[in-house]
Amino acid sequence: PPGGRGPEGVAAQVLHGGGANANSANRWWDKTLQLVIGQDGTCGALWDPAVIDGAVVAELLDHAL
């Protein structure tokens, strides 16, 4: 389900905050790197690949996790 802990729910939370009735208002779409951490432990990262090298972000996330 979109609001659950399954892959669809986690993807929705990380990518767009779960929609207008959830956490979309706290996303800053103009930022190069966003670290998303939910109250339920959901976590992820969004980044603009045109600005930041993917290898650098992957190493940062590997270190953080």
Side-chain angles (χ1 to χ4, degrees), residues 12-61:
Q13 181 64 262
V14 171
L15 289 176
H16 53 74
N21 295 326
N23 295 318
S24 292
N26 68 359
R27 295 293 189 267
W28 294 2
W29 302 109
D30 62 336
K31 302 303 177 198
T32 303
L33 176 64
Q34 295 183 66
L35 299 176
V36 180
I37 303 170
Q39 289 181 340
D40 63 354
T42 300
C43 63
L46 300 170
W47 73 89
D48 182 359
V51 179
I52 295 181
D53 184 26
V56 173
V57 174
E59 188 169 336
L60 170 76
L61 295 177

